[in-house]
Amino acid sequence: MEINIHDKEYTGWSENPEQAMNQEDAQTDFELRRASLEDAPIPDVDEAFEQFKTERLQFKRSAVVVRMWALAAAVACLVVAFFLPWNKWLSSTMGNEKPVIAKTDGNVVYEAQKPMKDVALTMGDKTFDLHSEDAQRKGFSINNDEMIRFLAPENVSPEDRTTLIIPQGKTARLLLPDGTKVWLSACSRLIFPQKFLENAPREVRLIGEAYFEVTHDETRPFIVHSGNISTTVLGTTFNIRCFEGEQPCVTLASGRVRVTNTSKQGEVTLTPGQQAFFNKNSTFNVEEADLEGVLSWKNGGFYFENQTLREALTEIGRWYNYNVIFTGNEHLNDRIHYNGERSWTLKQVIEQLNRICETNIKIDSTNIVVNN
C-alpha cells in the first residue's frame, strides 16, 4: 500500500473492511516483531556513551582551536597597533656615512650591493655553488639543521684560504673546524683558513656583518679582522658590523673582547652589553648597546631604534638589493623607530615606513626613492 505522508486522513489502518487486519493476523504480526527484537543484539550502553563523549570532546576541541586562533589574530592586531611607532626624531648629526655614488641636482644616491645568485665559495681562483659536488669534495656539507659544516681534508695547508659569500636576501650559519659557530648576514663575506695552526691564533677576516660564538681555547686566541680593526677573544659571543664604506662596530653579548685598530694607536676592552664604534679619527666610542636591535638581523627582523632614515633604508636596500635615492637632503637624518620582518615583501616594509615618516617613499624599478 502506497502511503502519502501529506494525506491527513491516513491513520495507519485501512477503512476498507476487506483490507482491515483481523485479530489472528494482528497476533501473527506481533509474534514476528517480538522474535526479530529478541534476535537483535543488545547495545552496549557503556561503549555507546564513551563514543558519544569522544565525539563531543573532539567537537569541543575543534571549537576551542578555532576560538584560540581567532583570539591570537585579535591579540596580534592589538600588538601591532600598540607597538607600531608613530613618533619621529630629528637630529643634526650624520653618524656613519655610506659612500655617495652620485649627487646631481639635489639627488643623493646610495648604491645597493651587487646581486649574488646564492651562497658561494671561493677557493684559490675558483668559485662554485655551496650545494655543488665540488663543495662536497672540498669538505663542505649542509645537514638538516641548515648549518654549513666544513671538515678540511688532511692534505690542505694552513695558508689555503676559503671565502664564504652570502648574497642579498639571505643569511647563513657556518661551523668552523675548531667548533666556532658563525652567523653571517646578507651581503657578507667571511675569509678563513682551511686549517687552523696548532699553536697560533685562529684568524679570520670579515666583510659585512656576523655574529660569533667562539669555542674557548686559551692557547689560541680567536681574532676577527674587519676594516681597520681587529677583535680578539678567547671564547665568547659578539657581533661585528663592518660593511664597505661604513666604520666598524663591535657589540659584546657575553664574555670579553679586546678591540684594537690596525695602527695599534687605540684599544678598548668591552664588557657584556657594550659596543665600540671606530671613528674616522682612529678612536673608539664605547656605549651601552641595544642587543635586541643589534641582533635583530640574526633573528629575521628589521629593528631601527632612533636610527636615521638613511641608515634604515640603506639596510633595507641591502637586503632587497635596491638602490636608495634621496631627492634632497631634508630627510636624510630623520630619526625613526621601526621594527618589521625580513620575510615581508619590500612593498609591505615601505608601506609601513610611509605611515611613520614625514616624507614619501616609493619603489621605482630597482630603486627606493625618498621624496621631500
Side-chain angles (χ1 to χ4, degrees):
M1 178 175 61
E2 182 178 352
I3 300 174
N4 186 348
I5 61 174
H6 302 291
D7 186 355
K8 297 181 180 179
E9 300 295 330
Y10 173 70
T11 62
W13 293 92
S14 173
E15 298 297 333
N16 189 339
E18 294 181 357
Q19 295 180 352
M21 184 178 292
N22 57 34
Q23 184 175 358
E24 183 178 353
D25 292 337
Q27 181 65 29
T28 301
D29 182 70
F30 172 76
E31 295 295 338
L32 290 173
R33 290 176 180 272
R34 185 176 65 177
S36 64
L37 290 174
E38 290 176 351
D39 293 338
I42 300 174
D44 189 329
V45 176
D46 293 335
E47 181 180 353
F49 181 65
E50 290 298 325
Q51 182 178 358
F52 168 78
K53 289 197 302 182
T54 300
E55 294 175 351
R56 181 63 175 170
L57 182 58
Q58 290 176 348
F59 173 80
K60 286 185 175 181
R61 286 176 176 172
S62 299
V64 169
V65 169
V66 171
R67 292 192 188 99
M68 289 179 64
W69 278 108
L71 179 61
V75 171
C77 292
L78 289 174
V79 170
V80 171
F82 182 78
F83 287 101
L84 187 65
W86 294 95
N87 294 325
K88 300 162 288 289
W89 282 260
L90 298 177
S91 173
S92 58
T93 58
M94 285 292 292
N96 292 333
E97 292 278 340
K98 173 79 174 167
V100 176
I101 304 303
K103 184 174 182 180
T104 58
D105 298 329
N107 291 346
V108 182
V109 182
Y110 298 97
E111 186 180 42
Q113 297 289 329
K114 300 298 182 183
M116 292 176 280
K117 292 182 179 180
D118 204 345
V119 178
L121 294 168
T122 297
M123 290 184 172
D125 57 352
K126 294 183 179 180
T127 299
F128 40 87
D129 188 271
L130 181 63
H131 298 85
S132 66
E133 293 182 359
D134 289 334
Q136 295 178 7
R137 285 194 290 267
K138 295 292 184 179
F140 286 88
S141 63
I142 304 177
N143 292 348
N144 294 333
D145 60 0
E146 298 184 352
M147 173 79 79
I148 302 170
R149 287 172 168 79
F150 176 63
L151 183 60
E154 295 181 357
N155 58 348
V156 300
S157 168
E159 286 76 26
D160 294 336
R161 294 289 188 269
T162 297
T163 302
L164 183 63
I165 306 169
I166 313 302
Q168 57 88 18
K170 290 183 178 291
T171 59
R173 293 187 301 152
L174 171 67
L175 182 65
L176 292 173
D178 68 329
T180 293
K181 296 178 182 179
V182 185
W183 282 254
L184 286 157
S185 182
C187 301
S188 298
R189 299 172 182 238
L190 184 70
I191 305 169
F192 57 95
Q194 297 182 26
K195 182 179 181 181
F196 289 120
L197 292 173
E198 291 296 332
N199 299 309
R202 299 164 288 170
E203 298 185 69
V204 301
R205 179 168 293 278
L206 171 69
I207 302 171
E209 185 168 18
Y211 177 83
F212 295 84
E213 285 187 2
V214 178
T215 299
H216 186 83
D217 188 339
E218 292 185 358
T219 63
R220 296 187 303 168
F222 193 94
I223 303 175
V224 182
H225 303 284
S226 48
N228 297 323
I229 66 170
S230 296
T231 304
T232 304
V233 303
L234 297 178
T236 186
T237 58
F238 59 100
N239 190 87
I240 297 180
R241 180 183 176 90
C242 184
F243 286 101
E244 294 182 7
E246 297 181 5
Q247 296 300 316
C249 175
V250 180
T251 305
L252 181 61
S254 66
R256 189 177 179 182
V257 301
R258 184 177 74 251
V259 187
T260 59
N261 63 24
T262 52
S263 63
K264 306 296 183 182
Q265 295 177 353
E267 176 178 316
V268 294
T269 299
L270 300 181
T271 58
Q274 289 185 328
Q275 61 184 177
F277 293 93
F278 186 68
N279 299 319
K280 292 181 179 180
N281 57 3
S282 299
T283 60
F284 289 100
N285 283 348
V286 178
E287 60 185 46
E288 294 298 314
D290 180 358
L291 291 179
E292 181 182 1
V294 172
L295 301 180
S296 61
W297 69 267
K298 177 174 173 284
N299 301 319
F302 290 115
Y303 186 97
F304 306 115
E305 179 65 23
N306 200 30
Q307 291 178 260
T308 66
L309 182 60
R310 176 189 52 78
E311 291 171 336
L313 287 179
T314 299
E315 176 68 16
I316 291 170
R318 180 182 291 119
W319 178 255
Y320 294 102
N321 196 44
Y322 273 65
N323 297 320
V324 181
I325 300 175
F326 285 83
T327 59
N329 298 323
E330 181 179 352
H331 296 285
L332 280 172
N333 300 311
D334 287 5
R335 298 282 172 174
I336 68 170
H337 299 253
Y338 171 79
N339 63 79
E341 298 296 328
R342 290 177 183 252
S343 60
W344 292 349
T345 65
L346 177 59
K347 181 181 178 181
Q348 289 175 298
V349 173
I350 296 303
E351 285 177 349
Q352 289 203 347
L353 285 175
N354 277 325
R355 295 174 184 172
I356 64 173
C357 293
E358 293 182 347
T359 185
N360 179 258
I361 308 171
K362 294 182 178 180
I363 303 172
D364 178 19
S365 184
T366 59
N367 301 316
I368 300 173
V369 182
V370 182
N371 297 308
N372 286 337

PDB file of all heavy atoms in Angstrom, residues 156-186:
ATOM      1  N   VAL A 156      95.351  19.676   3.167  1.00  0.00           N
ATOM      2  CA  VAL A 156      95.292  21.118   2.958  1.00  0.00           C
ATOM      3  C   VAL A 156      96.379  21.814   3.763  1.00  0.00           C
ATOM      4  O   VAL A 156      96.863  21.299   4.773  1.00  0.00           O
ATOM      5  CB  VAL A 156      93.913  21.695   3.343  1.00  0.00           C
ATOM      6  CG1 VAL A 156      92.825  21.050   2.513  1.00  0.00           C
ATOM      7  CG2 VAL A 156      93.668  21.523   4.830  1.00  0.00           C
ATOM      8  N   SER A 157      96.723  23.011   3.333  1.00  0.00           N
ATOM      9  CA  SER A 157      97.731  23.815   4.012  1.00  0.00           C
ATOM     10  C   SER A 157      97.048  24.927   4.797  1.00  0.00           C
ATOM     11  O   SER A 157      96.013  25.450   4.375  1.00  0.00           O
ATOM     12  CB  SER A 157      98.689  24.421   2.979  1.00  0.00           C
ATOM     13  OG  SER A 157      99.499  25.403   3.583  1.00  0.00           O
ATOM     14  N   PRO A 158      97.605  25.320   5.944  1.00  0.00           N
ATOM     15  CA  PRO A 158      97.029  26.435   6.706  1.00  0.00           C
ATOM     16  C   PRO A 158      97.000  27.729   5.914  1.00  0.00           C
ATOM     17  O   PRO A 158      96.232  28.640   6.236  1.00  0.00           O
ATOM     18  CB  PRO A 158      97.960  26.546   7.913  1.00  0.00           C
ATOM     19  CG  PRO A 158      98.586  25.194   8.046  1.00  0.00           C
ATOM     20  CD  PRO A 158      98.721  24.686   6.638  1.00  0.00           C
ATOM     21  N   GLU A 159      97.840  27.844   4.877  1.00  0.00           N
ATOM     22  CA  GLU A 159      97.843  29.054   4.062  1.00  0.00           C
ATOM     23  C   GLU A 159      96.677  29.098   3.081  1.00  0.00           C
ATOM     24  O   GLU A 159      96.359  30.163   2.531  1.00  0.00           O
ATOM     25  CB  GLU A 159      99.161  29.168   3.290  1.00  0.00           C
ATOM     26  CG  GLU A 159     100.359  29.577   4.152  1.00  0.00           C
ATOM     27  CD  GLU A 159     100.868  28.429   5.023  1.00  0.00           C
ATOM     28  OE1 GLU A 159     100.659  27.253   4.629  1.00  0.00           O
ATOM     29  OE2 GLU A 159     101.463  28.704   6.087  1.00  0.00           O
ATOM     30  N   ASP A 160      96.045  27.957   2.830  1.00  0.00           N
ATOM     31  CA  ASP A 160      94.906  27.931   1.917  1.00  0.00           C
ATOM     32  C   ASP A 160      93.727  28.662   2.544  1.00  0.00           C
ATOM     33  O   ASP A 160      93.378  28.438   3.705  1.00  0.00           O
ATOM     34  CB  ASP A 160      94.513  26.492   1.584  1.00  0.00           C
ATOM     35  CG  ASP A 160      95.594  25.765   0.793  1.00  0.00           C
ATOM     36  OD1 ASP A 160      96.383  26.464   0.129  1.00  0.00           O
ATOM     37  OD2 ASP A 160      95.636  24.525   0.843  1.00  0.00           O
ATOM     38  N   ARG A 161      93.099  29.524   1.765  1.00  0.00           N
ATOM     39  CA  ARG A 161      92.006  30.337   2.273  1.00  0.00           C
ATOM     40  C   ARG A 161      90.706  30.019   1.531  1.00  0.00           C
ATOM     41  O   ARG A 161      90.706  29.704   0.342  1.00  0.00           O
ATOM     42  CB  ARG A 161      92.315  31.834   2.118  1.00  0.00           C
ATOM     43  CG  ARG A 161      93.479  32.320   2.971  1.00  0.00           C
ATOM     44  CD  ARG A 161      93.109  32.359   4.444  1.00  0.00           C
ATOM     45  NE  ARG A 161      94.128  32.999   5.250  1.00  0.00           N
ATOM     46  CZ  ARG A 161      95.122  32.366   5.827  1.00  0.00           C
ATOM     47  NH1 ARG A 161      95.259  31.060   5.652  1.00  0.00           N
ATOM     48  NH2 ARG A 161      96.002  33.007   6.577  1.00  0.00           N
ATOM     49  N   THR A 162      89.610  30.128   2.260  1.00  0.00           N
ATOM     50  CA  THR A 162      88.273  29.948   1.691  1.00  0.00           C
ATOM     51  C   THR A 162      87.452  31.199   1.983  1.00  0.00           C
ATOM     52  O   THR A 162      87.509  31.738   3.091  1.00  0.00           O
ATOM     53  CB  THR A 162      87.560  28.723   2.283  1.00  0.00           C
ATOM     54  OG1 THR A 162      88.291  27.544   1.943  1.00  0.00           O
ATOM     55  CG2 THR A 162      86.141  28.597   1.746  1.00  0.00           C
ATOM     56  N   THR A 163      86.689  31.652   1.001  1.00  0.00           N
ATOM     57  CA  THR A 163      85.782  32.783   1.183  1.00  0.00           C
ATOM     58  C   THR A 163      84.355  32.293   1.034  1.00  0.00           C
ATOM     59  O   THR A 163      83.990  31.733  -0.008  1.00  0.00           O
ATOM     60  CB  THR A 163      86.055  33.893   0.153  1.00  0.00           C
ATOM     61  OG1 THR A 163      87.411  34.318   0.272  1.00  0.00           O
ATOM     62  CG2 THR A 163      85.129  35.072   0.384  1.00  0.00           C
ATOM     63  N   LEU A 164      83.558  32.493   2.074  1.00  0.00           N
ATOM     64  CA  LEU A 164      82.140  32.148   2.031  1.00  0.00           C
ATOM     65  C   LEU A 164      81.374  33.430   1.722  1.00  0.00           C
ATOM     66  O   LEU A 164      81.484  34.421   2.443  1.00  0.00           O
ATOM     67  CB  LEU A 164      81.685  31.568   3.368  1.00  0.00           C
ATOM     68  CG  LEU A 164      80.227  31.088   3.447  1.00  0.00           C
ATOM     69  CD1 LEU A 164      79.987  29.941   2.481  1.00  0.00           C
ATOM     70  CD2 LEU A 164      79.873  30.650   4.872  1.00  0.00           C
ATOM     71  N   ILE A 165      80.579  33.421   0.645  1.00  0.00           N
ATOM     72  CA  ILE A 165      79.909  34.616   0.145  1.00  0.00           C
ATOM     73  C   ILE A 165      78.406  34.473   0.329  1.00  0.00           C
ATOM     74  O   ILE A 165      77.796  33.528  -0.194  1.00  0.00           O
ATOM     75  CB  ILE A 165      80.232  34.841  -1.348  1.00  0.00           C
ATOM     76  CG1 ILE A 165      81.753  34.860  -1.560  1.00  0.00           C
ATOM     77  CG2 ILE A 165      79.599  36.127  -1.851  1.00  0.00           C
ATOM     78  CD1 ILE A 165      82.158  34.814  -3.013  1.00  0.00           C
ATOM     79  N   ILE A 166      77.809  35.402   1.075  1.00  0.00           N
ATOM     80  CA  ILE A 166      76.372  35.375   1.342  1.00  0.00           C
ATOM     81  C   ILE A 166      75.694  36.424   0.470  1.00  0.00           C
ATOM     82  O   ILE A 166      76.047  37.600   0.530  1.00  0.00           O
ATOM     83  CB  ILE A 166      76.060  35.654   2.828  1.00  0.00           C
ATOM     84  CG1 ILE A 166      76.973  34.803   3.724  1.00  0.00           C
ATOM     85  CG2 ILE A 166      74.592  35.382   3.124  1.00  0.00           C
ATOM     86  CD1 ILE A 166      76.857  33.305   3.497  1.00  0.00           C
ATOM     87  N   PRO A 167      74.697  36.045  -0.339  1.00  0.00           N
ATOM     88  CA  PRO A 167      74.038  37.010  -1.233  1.00  0.00           C
ATOM     89  C   PRO A 167      73.025  37.867  -0.491  1.00  0.00           C
ATOM     90  O   PRO A 167      72.736  37.649   0.697  1.00  0.00           O
ATOM     91  CB  PRO A 167      73.351  36.109  -2.263  1.00  0.00           C
ATOM     92  CG  PRO A 167      73.025  34.874  -1.487  1.00  0.00           C
ATOM     93  CD  PRO A 167      74.160  34.693  -0.506  1.00  0.00           C
ATOM     94  N   GLN A 168      72.467  38.857  -1.204  1.00  0.00           N
ATOM     95  CA  GLN A 168      71.397  39.678  -0.633  1.00  0.00           C
ATOM     96  C   GLN A 168      70.170  38.811  -0.378  1.00  0.00           C
ATOM     97  O   GLN A 168      69.912  37.846  -1.066  1.00  0.00           O
ATOM     98  CB  GLN A 168      71.058  40.840  -1.578  1.00  0.00           C
ATOM     99  CG  GLN A 168      70.638  40.423  -2.983  1.00  0.00           C
ATOM    100  CD  GLN A 168      69.158  40.159  -3.102  1.00  0.00           C
ATOM    101  OE1 GLN A 168      68.365  40.586  -2.261  1.00  0.00           O
ATOM    102  NE2 GLN A 168      68.775  39.441  -4.143  1.00  0.00           N
ATOM    103  N   GLY A 169      69.442  39.160   0.676  1.00  0.00           N
ATOM    104  CA  GLY A 169      68.214  38.444   0.993  1.00  0.00           C
ATOM    105  C   GLY A 169      68.414  37.112   1.668  1.00  0.00           C
ATOM    106  O   GLY A 169      67.459  36.351   1.843  1.00  0.00           O
ATOM    107  N   LYS A 170      69.634  36.798   2.080  1.00  0.00           N
ATOM    108  CA  LYS A 170      69.892  35.512   2.726  1.00  0.00           C
ATOM    109  C   LYS A 170      70.792  35.698   3.938  1.00  0.00           C
ATOM    110  O   LYS A 170      71.552  36.671   4.031  1.00  0.00           O
ATOM    111  CB  LYS A 170      70.555  34.527   1.750  1.00  0.00           C
ATOM    112  CG  LYS A 170      69.654  34.025   0.637  1.00  0.00           C
ATOM    113  CD  LYS A 170      70.370  33.004  -0.222  1.00  0.00           C
ATOM    114  CE  LYS A 170      69.458  32.460  -1.313  1.00  0.00           C
ATOM    115  NZ  LYS A 170      68.385  31.619  -0.751  1.00  0.00           N
ATOM    116  N   THR A 171      70.719  34.738   4.859  1.00  0.00           N
ATOM    117  CA  THR A 171      71.677  34.624   5.953  1.00  0.00           C
ATOM    118  C   THR A 171      72.155  33.178   5.980  1.00  0.00           C
ATOM    119  O   THR A 171      71.551  32.298   5.360  1.00  0.00           O
ATOM    120  CB  THR A 171      71.035  34.982   7.314  1.00  0.00           C
ATOM    121  OG1 THR A 171      69.914  34.106   7.554  1.00  0.00           O
ATOM    122  CG2 THR A 171      70.549  36.429   7.333  1.00  0.00           C
ATOM    123  N   ALA A 172      73.251  32.942   6.685  1.00  0.00           N
ATOM    124  CA  ALA A 172      73.796  31.583   6.721  1.00  0.00           C
ATOM    125  C   ALA A 172      74.503  31.350   8.048  1.00  0.00           C
ATOM    126  O   ALA A 172      74.928  32.293   8.723  1.00  0.00           O
ATOM    127  CB  ALA A 172      74.753  31.352   5.557  1.00  0.00           C
ATOM    128  N   ARG A 173      74.607  30.075   8.414  1.00  0.00           N
ATOM    129  CA  ARG A 173      75.344  29.679   9.622  1.00  0.00           C
ATOM    130  C   ARG A 173      76.479  28.750   9.215  1.00  0.00           C
ATOM    131  O   ARG A 173      76.298  27.849   8.403  1.00  0.00           O
ATOM    132  CB  ARG A 173      74.421  28.960  10.611  1.00  0.00           C
ATOM    133  CG  ARG A 173      73.336  29.849  11.206  1.00  0.00           C
ATOM    134  CD  ARG A 173      72.580  29.098  12.293  1.00  0.00           C
ATOM    135  NE  ARG A 173      71.955  27.891  11.768  1.00  0.00           N
ATOM    136  CZ  ARG A 173      71.711  26.795  12.495  1.00  0.00           C
ATOM    137  NH1 ARG A 173      72.063  26.743  13.753  1.00  0.00           N
ATOM    138  NH2 ARG A 173      71.122  25.754  11.936  1.00  0.00           N
ATOM    139  N   LEU A 174      77.637  28.970   9.814  1.00  0.00           N
ATOM    140  CA  LEU A 174      78.832  28.205   9.472  1.00  0.00           C
ATOM    141  C   LEU A 174      79.465  27.641  10.740  1.00  0.00           C
ATOM    142  O   LEU A 174      79.595  28.343  11.742  1.00  0.00           O
ATOM    143  CB  LEU A 174      79.832  29.105   8.734  1.00  0.00           C
ATOM    144  CG  LEU A 174      81.233  28.523   8.495  1.00  0.00           C
ATOM    145  CD1 LEU A 174      81.177  27.354   7.525  1.00  0.00           C
ATOM    146  CD2 LEU A 174      82.168  29.616   7.978  1.00  0.00           C
ATOM    147  N   LEU A 175      79.850  26.381  10.670  1.00  0.00           N
ATOM    148  CA  LEU A 175      80.589  25.744  11.758  1.00  0.00           C
ATOM    149  C   LEU A 175      82.030  25.564  11.300  1.00  0.00           C
ATOM    150  O   LEU A 175      82.310  24.797  10.371  1.00  0.00           O
ATOM    151  CB  LEU A 175      79.975  24.389  12.114  1.00  0.00           C
ATOM    152  CG  LEU A 175      80.633  23.632  13.277  1.00  0.00           C
ATOM    153  CD1 LEU A 175      80.466  24.400  14.585  1.00  0.00           C
ATOM    154  CD2 LEU A 175      80.067  22.229  13.402  1.00  0.00           C
ATOM    155  N   LEU A 176      82.951  26.295  11.938  1.00  0.00           N
ATOM    156  CA  LEU A 176      84.361  26.227  11.574  1.00  0.00           C
ATOM    157  C   LEU A 176      85.000  24.960  12.147  1.00  0.00           C
ATOM    158  O   LEU A 176      84.458  24.337  13.061  1.00  0.00           O
ATOM    159  CB  LEU A 176      85.090  27.474  12.083  1.00  0.00           C
ATOM    160  CG  LEU A 176      84.708  28.789  11.392  1.00  0.00           C
ATOM    161  CD1 LEU A 176      85.359  29.966  12.102  1.00  0.00           C
ATOM    162  CD2 LEU A 176      85.117  28.754   9.922  1.00  0.00           C
ATOM    163  N   PRO A 177      86.171  24.573  11.628  1.00  0.00           N
ATOM    164  CA  PRO A 177      86.810  23.319  12.085  1.00  0.00           C
ATOM    165  C   PRO A 177      87.092  23.276  13.582  1.00  0.00           C
ATOM    166  O   PRO A 177      87.148  22.185  14.163  1.00  0.00           O
ATOM    167  CB  PRO A 177      88.117  23.288  11.271  1.00  0.00           C
ATOM    168  CG  PRO A 177      87.820  24.069  10.047  1.00  0.00           C
ATOM    169  CD  PRO A 177      86.892  25.159  10.485  1.00  0.00           C
ATOM    170  N   ASP A 178      87.278  24.444  14.232  1.00  0.00           N
ATOM    171  CA  ASP A 178      87.576  24.442  15.667  1.00  0.00           C
ATOM    172  C   ASP A 178      86.311  24.402  16.524  1.00  0.00           C
ATOM    173  O   ASP A 178      86.384  24.424  17.753  1.00  0.00           O
ATOM    174  CB  ASP A 178      88.405  25.679  16.034  1.00  0.00           C
ATOM    175  CG  ASP A 178      87.602  26.968  15.905  1.00  0.00           C
ATOM    176  OD1 ASP A 178      86.693  27.009  15.031  1.00  0.00           O
ATOM    177  OD2 ASP A 178      87.847  27.912  16.662  1.00  0.00           O
ATOM    178  N   GLY A 179      85.129  24.364  15.885  1.00  0.00           N
ATOM    179  CA  GLY A 179      83.872  24.325  16.621  1.00  0.00           C
ATOM    180  C   GLY A 179      83.206  25.677  16.786  1.00  0.00           C
ATOM    181  O   GLY A 179      82.088  25.761  17.307  1.00  0.00           O
ATOM    182  N   THR A 180      83.849  26.747  16.342  1.00  0.00           N
ATOM    183  CA  THR A 180      83.261  28.086  16.413  1.00  0.00           C
ATOM    184  C   THR A 180      82.088  28.190  15.442  1.00  0.00           C
ATOM    185  O   THR A 180      82.177  27.759  14.292  1.00  0.00           O
ATOM    186  CB  THR A 180      84.319  29.149  16.078  1.00  0.00           C
ATOM    187  OG1 THR A 180      85.315  29.153  17.114  1.00  0.00           O
ATOM    188  CG2 THR A 180      83.704  30.533  15.977  1.00  0.00           C
ATOM    189  N   LYS A 181      80.997  28.799  15.913  1.00  0.00           N
ATOM    190  CA  LYS A 181      79.813  28.998  15.076  1.00  0.00           C
ATOM    191  C   LYS A 181      79.749  30.462  14.632  1.00  0.00           C
ATOM    192  O   LYS A 181      79.981  31.371  15.426  1.00  0.00           O
ATOM    193  CB  LYS A 181      78.538  28.645  15.842  1.00  0.00           C
ATOM    194  CG  LYS A 181      78.451  27.182  16.239  1.00  0.00           C
ATOM    195  CD  LYS A 181      77.179  26.906  17.033  1.00  0.00           C
ATOM    196  CE  LYS A 181      77.116  25.444  17.462  1.00  0.00           C
ATOM    197  NZ  LYS A 181      75.897  25.169  18.263  1.00  0.00           N
ATOM    198  N   VAL A 182      79.408  30.651  13.355  1.00  0.00           N
ATOM    199  CA  VAL A 182      79.330  31.999  12.793  1.00  0.00           C
ATOM    200  C   VAL A 182      77.998  32.157  12.068  1.00  0.00           C
ATOM    201  O   VAL A 182      77.643  31.329  11.223  1.00  0.00           O
ATOM    202  CB  VAL A 182      80.482  32.268  11.802  1.00  0.00           C
ATOM    203  CG1 VAL A 182      80.446  33.727  11.341  1.00  0.00           C
ATOM    204  CG2 VAL A 182      81.830  31.928  12.434  1.00  0.00           C
ATOM    205  N   TRP A 183      77.255  33.216  12.424  1.00  0.00           N
ATOM    206  CA  TRP A 183      76.035  33.607  11.699  1.00  0.00           C
ATOM    207  C   TRP A 183      76.421  34.766  10.776  1.00  0.00           C
ATOM    208  O   TRP A 183      76.944  35.790  11.237  1.00  0.00           O
ATOM    209  CB  TRP A 183      74.948  34.069  12.657  1.00  0.00           C
ATOM    210  CG  TRP A 183      74.221  32.983  13.367  1.00  0.00           C
ATOM    211  CD1 TRP A 183      72.947  32.535  13.129  1.00  0.00           C
ATOM    212  CD2 TRP A 183      74.695  32.218  14.501  1.00  0.00           C
ATOM    213  NE1 TRP A 183      72.607  31.535  14.011  1.00  0.00           N
ATOM    214  CE2 TRP A 183      73.652  31.318  14.857  1.00  0.00           C
ATOM    215  CE3 TRP A 183      75.885  32.188  15.215  1.00  0.00           C
ATOM    216  CZ2 TRP A 183      73.775  30.415  15.911  1.00  0.00           C
ATOM    217  CZ3 TRP A 183      76.022  31.295  16.251  1.00  0.00           C
ATOM    218  CH2 TRP A 183      74.971  30.421  16.586  1.00  0.00           C
ATOM    219  N   LEU A 184      76.145  34.615   9.487  1.00  0.00           N
ATOM    220  CA  LEU A 184      76.532  35.645   8.522  1.00  0.00           C
ATOM    221  C   LEU A 184      75.289  36.324   7.964  1.00  0.00           C
ATOM    222  O   LEU A 184      74.335  35.654   7.549  1.00  0.00           O
ATOM    223  CB  LEU A 184      77.347  35.034   7.390  1.00  0.00           C
ATOM    224  CG  LEU A 184      78.790  34.663   7.774  1.00  0.00           C
ATOM    225  CD1 LEU A 184      79.325  33.594   6.846  1.00  0.00           C
ATOM    226  CD2 LEU A 184      79.681  35.882   7.747  1.00  0.00           C
ATOM    227  N   SER A 185      75.313  37.666   7.938  1.00  0.00           N
ATOM    228  CA  SER A 185      74.193  38.441   7.425  1.00  0.00           C
ATOM    229  C   SER A 185      74.274  38.550   5.905  1.00  0.00           C
ATOM    230  O   SER A 185      75.253  38.137   5.276  1.00  0.00           O
ATOM    231  CB  SER A 185      74.193  39.826   8.062  1.00  0.00           C
ATOM    232  OG  SER A 185      73.079  40.577   7.611  1.00  0.00           O
ATOM    233  N   ALA A 186      73.234  39.127   5.310  1.00  0.00           N
ATOM    234  CA  ALA A 186      73.179  39.285   3.860  1.00  0.00           C
ATOM    235  C   ALA A 186      74.323  40.170   3.367  1.00  0.00           C
ATOM    236  O   ALA A 186      74.761  41.096   4.056  1.00  0.00           O
ATOM    237  CB  ALA A 186      71.837  39.894   3.455  1.00  0.00           C
TER     238      ALA A 186
END
